[in-house]
Amino acid sequence: MAAQKINEAHEHIAKAEKCLKTSLTKWKPDYDSAASEYAKAAVAFKNAKQFEQAKDAYLKEAEYHTENKALFHAAKALEQAGMMMKDMKRMPEAVQYIEKASMMYVENGTPDTAAMALDRAGKLVEPMDVAKAVDLYQKAASVFENEDRLRQAAELLGKASRLLVRLRRLDEAAVSIQKEKNMYKEMENYPTCFKKTIAQVLVHLHRSDFVAADKCVRESYSIPGFSGSEDCIAMEQLLQGYDQQDEDQAYRVCNSPLLKYMDNDYAKLAISLRVPGGGKKKKSPTAPQGGAGGAKATEDDDDYEGGLC
Protein backbone atom coordinates (compact mmCIF):
# COMPACT_ATOMS: atom_id res chain seq x y z
CA MET A 1 0.00 0.00 0.00
CA ALA A 2 2.75 2.49 1.00
CA ALA A 3 4.87 1.55 -2.03
CA GLN A 4 1.87 2.11 -4.29
CA LYS A 5 1.28 5.56 -2.79
CA ILE A 6 4.98 6.47 -3.17
CA ASN A 7 4.89 5.46 -6.86
CA GLU A 8 1.73 7.51 -7.28
CA ALA A 9 3.48 10.52 -5.73
CA HIS A 10 6.44 10.19 -8.10
CA GLU A 11 4.04 10.05 -11.07
CA HIS A 12 2.49 13.33 -9.98
CA ILE A 13 5.95 14.92 -9.60
CA ALA A 14 6.84 13.79 -13.14
CA LYS A 15 3.63 15.40 -14.44
CA ALA A 16 4.44 18.59 -12.50
CA GLU A 17 7.91 18.78 -14.03
CA LYS A 18 6.37 18.34 -17.47
CA CYS A 19 4.02 21.28 -16.76
CA LEU A 20 7.03 23.47 -16.01
CA LYS A 21 8.85 22.76 -19.27
CA THR A 22 8.72 25.36 -22.03
CA SER A 23 9.06 24.84 -25.78
CA LEU A 24 8.69 26.69 -29.08
CA THR A 25 4.92 26.39 -28.81
CA LYS A 26 4.68 26.79 -25.00
CA TRP A 27 6.50 29.89 -23.83
CA LYS A 28 5.44 30.01 -20.19
CA PRO A 29 5.54 27.30 -17.51
CA ASP A 30 2.10 26.12 -16.35
CA TYR A 31 2.55 26.97 -12.67
CA ASP A 32 -1.08 26.31 -11.79
CA SER A 33 -1.05 22.72 -13.06
CA ALA A 34 2.42 22.11 -11.54
CA ALA A 35 1.18 23.28 -8.13
CA SER A 36 -1.87 21.01 -8.44
CA GLU A 37 0.31 17.97 -9.25
CA TYR A 38 2.66 18.70 -6.31
CA ALA A 39 -0.39 18.95 -4.04
CA LYS A 40 -1.48 15.46 -5.16
CA ALA A 41 2.07 14.15 -4.70
CA ALA A 42 2.15 15.61 -1.16
CA VAL A 43 -1.10 13.85 -0.21
CA ALA A 44 0.19 10.53 -1.61
CA PHE A 45 3.46 10.87 0.37
CA LYS A 46 1.48 11.81 3.48
CA ASN A 47 -0.73 8.72 3.13
CA ALA A 48 2.44 6.63 2.83
CA LYS A 49 3.71 8.28 6.07
CA GLN A 50 6.65 9.78 4.15
CA PHE A 51 6.34 13.12 5.91
CA GLU A 52 9.71 14.60 4.87
CA GLN A 53 8.90 14.04 1.18
CA ALA A 54 5.34 15.27 1.71
CA LYS A 55 6.75 18.46 3.26
CA ASP A 56 9.04 18.99 0.25
CA ALA A 57 6.11 18.50 -2.12
CA TYR A 58 3.97 21.02 -0.19
CA LEU A 59 6.84 23.52 -0.36
CA LYS A 60 7.03 23.04 -4.14
CA GLU A 61 3.27 23.54 -4.33
CA ALA A 62 3.63 26.77 -2.35
CA GLU A 63 6.46 27.94 -4.60
CA TYR A 64 4.45 27.50 -7.81
CA HIS A 65 1.28 29.03 -6.35
CA THR A 66 3.44 32.04 -5.42
CA GLU A 67 4.81 32.22 -8.98
CA ASN A 68 1.18 32.19 -10.11
CA LYS A 69 0.31 35.03 -7.65
CA ALA A 70 -2.11 32.67 -5.85
CA LEU A 71 -0.95 33.67 -2.35
CA PHE A 72 -3.87 32.19 -0.42
CA HIS A 73 -3.21 28.72 -1.89
CA ALA A 74 0.54 29.17 -1.35
CA ALA A 75 -0.08 29.96 2.32
CA LYS A 76 -2.34 26.89 2.69
CA ALA A 77 0.44 24.70 1.24
CA LEU A 78 2.98 26.23 3.65
CA GLU A 79 0.66 25.47 6.56
CA GLN A 80 0.45 21.87 5.38
CA ALA A 81 4.26 21.71 5.24
CA GLY A 82 4.19 22.88 8.86
CA MET A 83 1.78 20.06 9.74
CA MET A 84 4.21 17.53 8.25
CA MET A 85 6.91 18.93 10.55
CA LYS A 86 4.50 18.56 13.46
CA ASP A 87 3.96 14.88 12.54
CA MET A 88 7.75 14.47 12.66
CA LYS A 89 7.80 16.19 16.09
CA ARG A 90 9.92 19.02 14.69
CA MET A 91 7.91 21.83 16.27
CA PRO A 92 10.24 24.84 15.74
CA GLU A 93 10.26 24.17 11.98
CA ALA A 94 6.49 23.57 12.01
CA VAL A 95 5.93 26.96 13.64
CA GLN A 96 8.34 28.63 11.20
CA TYR A 97 6.27 27.47 8.19
CA ILE A 98 2.98 28.45 9.83
CA GLU A 99 4.32 31.93 10.68
CA LYS A 100 5.43 32.35 7.07
CA ALA A 101 1.96 31.23 5.93
CA SER A 102 0.31 33.79 8.23
CA MET A 103 2.32 36.62 6.66
CA MET A 104 1.13 35.44 3.24
CA TYR A 105 -2.49 35.42 4.43
CA VAL A 106 -2.12 39.05 5.56
CA GLU A 107 -0.51 39.98 2.23
CA ASN A 108 -3.40 38.24 0.48
CA GLY A 109 -5.96 40.28 2.43
CA THR A 110 -7.23 37.44 4.63
CA PRO A 111 -5.99 38.53 8.09
CA ASP A 112 -8.54 36.42 10.01
CA THR A 113 -7.05 33.27 8.49
CA ALA A 114 -3.58 34.58 9.44
CA ALA A 115 -4.60 35.10 13.08
CA MET A 116 -6.19 31.64 13.30
CA ALA A 117 -3.02 30.07 11.87
CA LEU A 118 -0.89 31.87 14.50
CA ASP A 119 -3.26 30.69 17.23
CA ARG A 120 -2.89 27.08 15.99
CA ALA A 121 0.89 27.47 15.94
CA GLY A 122 0.79 28.79 19.52
CA LYS A 123 -1.17 25.73 20.67
CA LEU A 124 1.33 23.44 18.93
CA VAL A 125 4.39 24.96 20.52
CA GLU A 126 3.00 25.82 23.98
CA PRO A 127 3.80 22.45 25.62
CA MET A 128 7.52 22.76 24.85
CA ASP A 129 8.20 26.50 24.37
CA VAL A 130 5.93 28.76 26.42
CA ALA A 131 7.83 31.95 25.48
CA LYS A 132 7.35 31.28 21.75
CA ALA A 133 3.65 30.57 22.35
CA VAL A 134 3.33 33.99 24.05
CA ASP A 135 4.87 35.63 20.98
CA LEU A 136 2.48 33.80 18.62
CA TYR A 137 -0.64 34.58 20.67
CA GLN A 138 0.37 38.26 20.86
CA LYS A 139 0.89 38.41 17.10
CA ALA A 140 -2.49 36.75 16.51
CA ALA A 141 -4.16 39.19 18.93
CA SER A 142 -2.56 42.12 17.12
CA VAL A 143 -3.91 40.92 13.74
CA PHE A 144 -7.44 40.58 15.17
CA GLU A 145 -7.18 43.98 16.88
CA ASN A 146 -6.23 45.64 13.58
CA GLU A 147 -9.42 44.16 12.13
CA ASP A 148 -11.50 45.45 15.09
CA ARG A 149 -12.21 41.86 16.13
CA LEU A 150 -11.89 42.74 19.82
CA ARG A 151 -13.42 39.58 21.30
CA GLN A 152 -10.93 37.32 19.50
CA ALA A 153 -8.05 39.73 20.23
CA ALA A 154 -8.91 39.80 23.95
CA GLU A 155 -9.16 36.00 24.16
CA LEU A 156 -5.70 35.59 22.60
CA LEU A 157 -4.22 38.29 24.83
CA GLY A 158 -5.72 36.38 27.75
CA LYS A 159 -3.74 33.30 26.75
CA ALA A 160 -0.58 35.40 26.47
CA SER A 161 -1.17 37.06 29.88
CA ARG A 162 -1.58 33.70 31.65
CA LEU A 163 1.59 32.34 30.09
CA LEU A 164 3.53 35.49 31.01
CA VAL A 165 2.45 34.90 34.62
CA ARG A 166 3.62 31.29 34.33
CA LEU A 167 6.99 32.54 33.06
CA ARG A 168 7.12 35.06 35.95
CA ARG A 169 7.41 37.89 33.42
CA LEU A 170 5.11 39.89 35.67
CA ASP A 171 5.84 43.39 34.35
CA GLU A 172 4.76 42.27 30.87
CA ALA A 173 1.80 40.35 32.32
CA ALA A 174 0.55 43.53 34.03
CA VAL A 175 0.64 45.44 30.72
CA SER A 176 -1.05 42.58 28.87
CA ILE A 177 -3.89 42.26 31.42
CA GLN A 178 -4.51 46.02 31.30
CA LYS A 179 -4.83 45.79 27.51
CA GLU A 180 -7.30 42.89 27.85
CA LYS A 181 -9.31 44.86 30.41
CA ASN A 182 -9.50 47.90 28.12
CA MET A 183 -10.85 45.70 25.32
CA TYR A 184 -13.51 44.11 27.53
CA LYS A 185 -14.49 47.57 28.76
CA GLU A 186 -14.86 48.75 25.15
CA MET A 187 -17.07 45.71 24.48
CA GLU A 188 -19.05 46.53 27.68
CA ASN A 189 -18.29 43.09 29.08
CA TYR A 190 -18.04 44.45 32.61
CA PRO A 191 -18.06 41.19 34.66
CA THR A 192 -14.92 40.08 32.78
CA CYS A 193 -13.33 43.47 33.59
CA PHE A 194 -13.90 42.68 37.30
CA LYS A 195 -11.98 39.39 36.92
CA LYS A 196 -9.17 41.20 35.11
CA THR A 197 -8.95 43.63 38.03
CA ILE A 198 -8.42 40.69 40.40
CA ALA A 199 -5.70 39.32 38.08
CA GLN A 200 -4.05 42.77 37.98
CA VAL A 201 -4.05 43.10 41.77
CA LEU A 202 -2.47 39.66 42.20
CA VAL A 203 0.22 40.39 39.61
CA HIS A 204 1.05 43.82 41.09
CA LEU A 205 1.22 42.48 44.65
CA HIS A 206 3.61 39.74 43.47
CA ARG A 207 5.63 42.59 41.94
CA SER A 208 5.56 44.19 45.43
CA ASP A 209 3.83 47.21 43.89
CA PHE A 210 0.97 48.00 46.27
CA VAL A 211 0.43 51.45 44.73
CA ALA A 212 -0.20 49.96 41.25
CA ALA A 213 -2.54 47.30 42.72
CA ASP A 214 -4.50 49.95 44.62
CA LYS A 215 -4.68 52.15 41.50
CA CYS A 216 -6.22 49.27 39.48
CA VAL A 217 -9.02 48.90 42.02
CA ARG A 218 -9.59 52.68 42.22
CA GLU A 219 -9.78 52.95 38.42
CA SER A 220 -12.25 50.05 38.33
CA TYR A 221 -14.79 52.02 40.41
CA SER A 222 -15.72 53.75 37.15
CA ILE A 223 -16.73 50.38 35.60
CA PRO A 224 -20.52 49.92 35.93
CA GLY A 225 -21.39 47.42 38.67
CA PHE A 226 -17.89 47.05 40.13
CA SER A 227 -18.33 49.15 43.25
CA GLY A 228 -19.91 46.98 45.97
CA SER A 229 -19.56 43.78 43.92
CA GLU A 230 -18.12 40.56 45.37
CA ASP A 231 -14.94 41.13 43.35
CA CYS A 232 -14.60 44.72 44.55
CA ILE A 233 -15.08 43.86 48.25
CA ALA A 234 -12.61 40.98 48.01
CA MET A 235 -9.93 43.23 46.48
CA GLU A 236 -10.51 45.96 49.06
CA GLN A 237 -10.09 43.36 51.83
CA LEU A 238 -6.99 41.90 50.20
CA LEU A 239 -5.34 45.31 49.80
CA GLN A 240 -6.25 46.24 53.38
CA GLY A 241 -4.81 42.95 54.70
CA TYR A 242 -1.64 43.39 52.62
CA ASP A 243 -1.15 47.04 53.63
CA GLN A 244 -1.74 46.37 57.33
CA GLN A 245 0.32 43.16 57.30
CA ASP A 246 -2.75 41.26 58.42
CA GLU A 247 -1.77 37.83 57.20
CA ASP A 248 -5.02 36.15 58.24
CA GLN A 249 -7.19 38.58 56.30
CA ALA A 250 -5.04 38.29 53.16
CA TYR A 251 -5.02 34.48 53.53
CA ARG A 252 -8.82 34.34 53.80
CA VAL A 253 -9.28 36.33 50.60
CA CYS A 254 -6.60 34.44 48.66
CA ASN A 255 -8.03 31.06 49.65
CA SER A 256 -11.66 31.99 49.02
CA PRO A 257 -13.51 30.25 46.16
CA LEU A 258 -13.57 33.55 44.24
CA LEU A 259 -9.78 33.43 43.78
CA LYS A 260 -9.12 29.69 44.10
CA TYR A 261 -11.33 28.93 41.09
CA MET A 262 -9.78 31.49 38.76
CA ASP A 263 -7.62 30.33 35.84
CA ASN A 264 -4.93 28.09 37.26
CA ASP A 265 -2.03 30.54 36.76
CA TYR A 266 -3.86 33.27 38.70
CA ALA A 267 -5.10 30.86 41.38
CA LYS A 268 -1.45 29.91 41.98
CA LEU A 269 -0.57 33.59 42.41
CA ALA A 270 -3.36 33.91 44.98
CA ILE A 271 -2.39 30.95 47.14
CA SER A 272 1.33 31.80 47.02
CA LEU A 273 0.90 35.49 47.97
CA ARG A 274 2.70 36.55 51.12
CA VAL A 275 2.12 39.83 52.96
CA PRO A 276 5.19 41.99 53.71
CA GLY A 277 6.73 41.11 57.05
CA GLY A 278 4.56 37.98 57.27
CA GLY A 279 5.59 34.37 57.03
CA LYS A 280 3.72 31.29 55.85
CA LYS A 281 0.20 30.76 57.16
CA LYS A 282 0.50 28.95 60.46
CA LYS A 283 -1.32 25.64 60.60
CA SER A 284 -1.51 23.15 63.45
CA PRO A 285 1.36 20.66 62.95
CA THR A 286 -0.80 17.91 64.44
CA ALA A 287 -3.73 18.49 62.10
CA PRO A 288 -3.87 15.83 59.39
CA GLN A 289 -4.86 16.65 55.78
CA GLY A 290 -8.59 17.26 55.67
CA GLY A 291 -8.79 17.15 59.48
CA ALA A 292 -8.73 20.14 61.81
CA GLY A 293 -6.65 22.10 59.25
CA GLY A 294 -9.34 21.52 56.63
CA ALA A 295 -12.04 22.59 59.08
CA LYS A 296 -10.12 25.81 59.85
CA ALA A 297 -9.82 26.62 56.13
CA THR A 298 -13.56 26.08 55.67
CA GLU A 299 -14.26 28.26 58.70
CA ASP A 300 -12.09 30.99 57.19
CA ASP A 301 -13.91 30.72 53.89
CA ASP A 302 -17.24 30.99 55.71
CA ASP A 303 -16.07 34.07 57.61
CA TYR A 304 -14.96 35.59 54.31
CA GLU A 305 -18.20 34.82 52.55
CA GLY A 306 -20.14 36.25 55.47
CA GLY A 307 -18.06 39.42 55.18
CA LEU A 308 -19.26 39.86 51.61
CA CYS A 309 -22.95 39.81 52.49
Side-chain angles (χ1 to χ4, degrees):
M1 177 67 178
Q4 188 188 333
K5 287 286 172 195
I6 291 167
N7 287 337
E8 192 185 308
H10 285 296
E11 282 168 24
H12 286 301
I13 289 171
K15 284 181 188 172
E17 285 168 352
K18 199 174 173 186
C19 295
L20 295 168
K21 282 182 179 158
T22 54
S23 65
L24 288 169
T25 53
K26 185 188 158 202
W27 294 358
K28 280 178 74 181
D30 183 354
Y31 291 125
D32 189 41
S33 299
S36 176
E37 291 298 335
Y38 270 113
K40 290 172 190 170
V43 171
F45 279 132
K46 182 180 166 184
N47 290 338
K49 304 272 189 255
Q50 301 297 307
F51 299 125
E52 184 75 47
Q53 287 166 288
K55 178 262 297 181
D56 290 339
Y58 279 125
L59 291 179
K60 282 289 186 189
E61 183 198 349
E63 183 187 330
Y64 297 125
H65 277 312
T66 306
E67 290 284 358
N68 209 34
K69 306 284 187 282
L71 291 186
F72 184 83
H73 295 298
K76 277 280 172 208
L78 273 177
E79 259 204 275
Q80 285 303 314
M83 289 300 109
M84 295 306 97
M85 291 289 99
K86 176 200 143 217
D87 288 336
M88 288 189 279
K89 307 277 186 282
R90 285 156 59 180
M91 294 306 173
E93 289 166 272
V95 167
Q96 205 179 332
Y97 287 128
I98 298 170
E99 276 193 278
K100 199 171 172 186
S102 77
M103 286 189 276
M104 273 190 173
Y105 286 131
V106 170
E107 210 178 318
N108 181 62
T110 48
D112 283 12
T113 317
M116 288 187 279
L118 290 166
D119 183 21
R120 279 196 294 276
K123 284 174 192 155
L124 278 183
V125 82
E126 191 179 315
M128 71 280 309
D129 189 347
V130 176
K132 182 63 185 172
V134 167
D135 176 52
L136 290 163
Y137 292 142
Q138 286 172 333
K139 281 179 180 167
S142 179
V143 174
F144 275 132
E145 190 183 359
N146 289 341
E147 294 304 300
D148 288 324
R149 300 278 297 276
L150 288 189
R151 188 179 61 80
Q152 289 89 340
E155 282 172 10
L156 283 155
L157 269 180
K159 288 185 185 184
S161 301
R162 289 192 293 276
L163 295 181
L164 286 166
V165 166
R166 198 177 303 172
L167 291 165
R168 304 296 297 177
R169 284 160 56 181
L170 298 181
D171 290 1
E172 291 168 77
V175 173
S176 184
I177 298 165
Q178 182 63 53
K179 201 168 179 187
E180 278 182 77
K181 188 172 160 182
N182 292 344
M183 285 180 183
Y184 283 115
K185 196 172 175 182
E186 203 175 321
M187 290 184 275
E188 298 183 0
N189 183 342
Y190 301 128
T192 304
C193 292
F194 304 169
K195 300 303 172 201
K196 297 302 164 192
T197 300
I198 295 177
Q200 283 181 304
V201 169
L202 290 169
V203 166
H204 285 310
L205 292 182
H206 270 272
R207 292 175 62 246
S208 303
D209 192 342
F210 176 84
V211 173
D214 188 55
K215 188 183 172 197
C216 288
V217 174
R218 287 179 190 279
E219 284 175 351
S220 295
Y221 289 138
S222 66
I223 300 170
F226 180 73
S227 190
S229 68
E230 182 186 29
D231 307 77
C232 173
I233 294 165
M235 289 306 94
E236 287 170 346
Q237 289 184 345
L238 176 57
L239 288 171
Q240 184 187 46
Y242 189 92
D243 191 37
Q244 295 177 0
Q245 299 188 4
D246 183 342
E247 199 173 325
D248 285 343
Q249 183 166 316
Y251 178 85
R252 272 200 303 278
V253 178
C254 287
N255 285 270
S256 68
L258 183 67
L259 272 69
K260 267 165 68 171
Y261 299 124
M262 288 181 77
D263 284 314
N264 202 30
D265 292 296
Y266 296 125
K268 282 180 179 175
L269 283 186
I271 59 175
S272 63
L273 186 67
R274 298 287 169 259
V275 299
K280 206 167 184 179
K281 173 73 184 172
K282 294 170 187 68
K283 287 184 184 173
S284 168
T286 55
Q289 192 87 34
K296 176 77 175 88
T298 310
E299 230 175 80
D300 283 344
D301 285 353
D302 290 344
D303 286 349
Y304 170 68
E305 284 162 16
L308 292 176
C309 295

